[in-house]
């Protein structure tokens, strides 16, 4: 997907068109930044659920380890999968009943609320919006807003309807 | 001080304040006639982030210089990782129900074509849009879908403009739409909560968080099942999304456009 240089705009550089090539990411730097993210997650969990960072720390260490392992695998495994896909797969494997220590792992990560952990990422996302993204949204106008809402609704409801039908057929 | 700011510590501290504020407000529910509207901390966090964005508020431009702004972009992908890890840990214990729902999980990926059924007619017939409609409506236009359009038409084309418009709009209001819509659809009482949950994986990570957060808020007793199915479908979308877009959704949308507007031929398709 590299053949577009001839007729694309400078805006392309301001947009995350191609997901960052994780073969080149600096695992050490990212692991350091992940520490900041983990600390923010602990604070968010503390304010949001009342669970103190001391209690939630072992759970966060587990999530941190899974994230770093995802980064490492995405960087060094000969075939490519994004790091979040690796992290997901590892998290599934270590919590399948019968995997050594799965009950302990679950009780530790149970001290962390899932939704609270997304709050820091969304704060960064709001701050990270580029001039280009605001510019495109403004230029596209109200028609695109209507279409975008229809796109999100259509994509979601289409999946819901098919999933519901298949679940009903299976019963 | 300037080094403190350049290295992004002011950025991280800003995020810390936003996070504390958002979590202190917490989840809010508003009952309306057809169901419950759910407001989640991730919505406040994003909204406050946009308000403080250095391109919106000139005062924060001193605290978040361009280099720190770039770091903020990197931090999105990093900060979402513990969330994704936590999400994955919900799948393991529920592996039985997930395998049971396996066919539905796989087939609902085809349901993503629902955007073409709903958004394409609106764009072409109601709003009289041109070839922008192809890029705008063939998919939910997150990063991988945008790459397909960039590769095929270039982003300077009408198709590219449509795709980028939906991308930018989705970035701005997608979290909001995905927090509000699923609880309202759940309120209709027609659909299995498992179907609503496994469809949460259709978009970006923040859409996923908003969608599951909203559903858990209206069906707290089924939190484990909701999270596990949403996580499983999200992982599946990593694997299938690009190919469904490239080989099914885009050709189908092009064909439909050709049927509706036979005289409007592409200028620079490759």
């Amino acid at each position: 997907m590299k053949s577009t240089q001839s007729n694309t705009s400078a805006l392309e550089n301001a947009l995350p068109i191609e997901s960052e090539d994780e073969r080149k990411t600096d695992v050490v730097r990212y692991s350091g930044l992940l520490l900041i993210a983990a600390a923010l997650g602990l604070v968010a969990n503390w304010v949001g659920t009342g669970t103190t960072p001391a209690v939630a720390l072992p759970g966060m260490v587990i999530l941190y380890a899974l994230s770093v392992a995802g980064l490492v695998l995405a960087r060094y495994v000969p075939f490519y999968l994004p790091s979040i896909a690796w992290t997901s797969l590892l998290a599934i494997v270590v919590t399948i009943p019968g995997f050594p220590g799965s009950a302990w792992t679950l009780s530790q990560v149970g001290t962390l609320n899932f939704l609270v952990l997304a709050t820091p990422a969304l704060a960064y996302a709001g701050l990270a919006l580029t001039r280009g993204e605001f510019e495109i949204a403004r230029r596209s106008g109200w028609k695109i807003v209507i279409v975008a809402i229809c796109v999100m609704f259509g994509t979601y409801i289409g999946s819901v309807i098919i999933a519901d039908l298949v679940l009903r057929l299976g019963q | 001080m300037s080094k403190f700011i350049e290295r992004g510590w002011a950025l991280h501290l800003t995020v810390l304040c936003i996070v504390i504020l958002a979590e202190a407000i917490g989840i809010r529910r508003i009952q309306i006639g057809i169901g419950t509207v759910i407001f989640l901390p991730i919505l406040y966090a994003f909204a406050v982030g946009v308000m403080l964005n250095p391109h919106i508020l000139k005062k924060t431009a001193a605290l978040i210089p361009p280099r720190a702004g770039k770091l903020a972009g990197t931090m999105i992908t990093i900060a979402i990782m513990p969330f994704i890890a936590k999400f994955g840990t919900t799948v393991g214990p529920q592996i039985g129900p997930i395998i049971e729902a396996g066919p539905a999980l796989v087939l609902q990926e085809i349901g993503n074509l629902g955007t073409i059924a709903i958004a394409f007619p609106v764009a072409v017939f109601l709003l009289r849009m041109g070839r922008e409609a192809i890029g705008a409506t063939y998919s939910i236009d997150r990063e991988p879908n945008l790459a397909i359009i960039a590769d095929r038409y270039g982003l300077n084309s009408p198709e590219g403009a449509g795709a980028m418009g939906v991308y930018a709009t989705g970035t701005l209001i997608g979290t909001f739409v995905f927090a509000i819509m699923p609880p309202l659809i759940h309120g209709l009482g027609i659909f299995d909560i498992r179907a609503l949950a496994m469809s949460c994986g259709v978009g970006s990570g923040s859409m996923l968080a908003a969608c599951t957060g909203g559903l858990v808020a209206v069906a707290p007793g089924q939190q484990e099942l909701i999270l596990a199915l949403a996580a499983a479908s999200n992982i599946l979308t990593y694997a299938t999304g690009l190919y469904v877009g490239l080989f099914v959704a885009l050709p189908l949308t092009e064909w439909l456009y050709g049927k509706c507007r036979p005289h409007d031929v592409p200028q620079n398709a490759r």
Side-chain angles (χ1 to χ4, degrees), chain A residues 137-159:
Chain A
R138 195 172 310 151
R139 220 178 28 210
S140 303
W142 59 273
K143 284 188 180 179
I144 281 287
V145 175
I146 294 174
V147 171
I149 292 170
C150 292
V151 165
M152 289 185 263
F153 174 71
T155 308
Y156 183 71
I157 200 73
S159 287

Side-chain angles (χ1 to χ4, degrees), chain B residues 35-60:
Chain B
T36 312
V37 177
I38 303 288
F39 291 97
L40 302 168
I42 52 173
L43 293 180
Y44 325 138
F46 183 69
V48 176
V50 172
M51 282 186 256
L52 298 180
N53 186 290
H55 302 292
I56 297 282
L57 197 69
K58 293 286 164 264
K59 277 181 188 148
T60 52

Side-chain angles (χ1 to χ4, degrees), chain B residues 16-145:
Chain B
L16 178 67
C17 296
I18 296 174
V19 163
I20 291 172
L21 175 74
E23 289 301 332
I25 300 171
I27 297 176
R28 303 276 154 170
R29 296 172 172 79
I30 295 176
Q31 296 290 340
I32 58 168
I34 46 169
T36 312
V37 177
I38 303 288
F39 291 97
L40 302 168
I42 52 173
L43 293 180
Y44 325 138
F46 183 69
V48 176
V50 172
M51 282 186 256
L52 298 180
N53 186 290
H55 302 292
I56 297 282
L57 197 69
K58 293 286 164 264
K59 277 181 188 148
T60 52
L63 280 178
I64 305 167
R67 202 177 135 207
K70 225 179 145 210
L71 176 65
T74 309
M75 282 305 292
I76 306 171
T77 51
I78 293 174
I80 205 74
M81 293 186 86
F83 167 80
I84 296 287
K86 164 75 189 182
F87 230 74
T89 64
T90 64
V91 176
Q94 297 279 331
I95 201 79
I98 286 174
I99 291 170
E100 209 172 283
L105 261 172
V106 174
L107 291 172
Q108 59 84 26
E109 293 285 324
I110 302 166
N112 293 1
L113 299 175
T115 171
I116 302 171
I118 291 174
F120 182 81
V122 169
V124 170
F125 296 113
L126 213 60
L127 301 173
R128 313 295 304 166
M129 281 169 70
R131 299 192 63 83
E132 289 85 356
I134 297 174
T137 66
Y138 93 102
S139 80
I140 199 158
D141 283 319
R142 300 324 298 163
E143 286 82 351
N145 317 113

Side-chain angles (χ1 to χ4, degrees), chain A residues 30-31 33-45 53 55-72 83-84 86-95 102 104-120, chain B residues 77-91 227:
Chain A
Y30 273 41
S31 303
L33 292 173
L34 245 169
L35 283 176
I36 297 171
L40 287 167
L42 284 174
V43 174
N45 196 55
V55 173
L57 186 63
M60 186 54 94
V61 170
I62 294 169
L63 298 185
Y64 180 84
L66 289 168
S67 305
V68 172
L71 285 171
V72 171
S83 54
I84 42 176
W86 281 117
T87 298
S88 301
L89 290 174
L90 287 174
I92 294 170
V93 170
V94 300
T95 52
S102 63
W104 181 82
T105 304
L106 272 176
S107 71
Q108 293 308 321
V109 298
T111 59
L112 290 150
N113 176 279
F114 82 101
L115 191 59
V116 155
L117 293 177
T119 307
Chain B
T77 51
I78 293 174
I80 205 74
M81 293 186 86
F83 167 80
I84 296 287
K86 164 75 189 182
F87 230 74
T89 64
T90 64
V91 176
L227 295 188

Side-chain angles (χ1 to χ4, degrees), chain B residues 225-257:
Chain B
L225 187 63
I226 291 169
L227 295 188
L229 287 170
S233 100
N234 188 241
I235 294 164
L236 208 58
T237 305
Y238 295 137
T240 62
L242 189 68
Y243 301 101
V244 172
L246 189 57
F247 295 116
V248 184
L250 190 53
L252 178 63
T253 315
E254 280 174 337
W255 180 81
L256 279 172
Y257 190 83

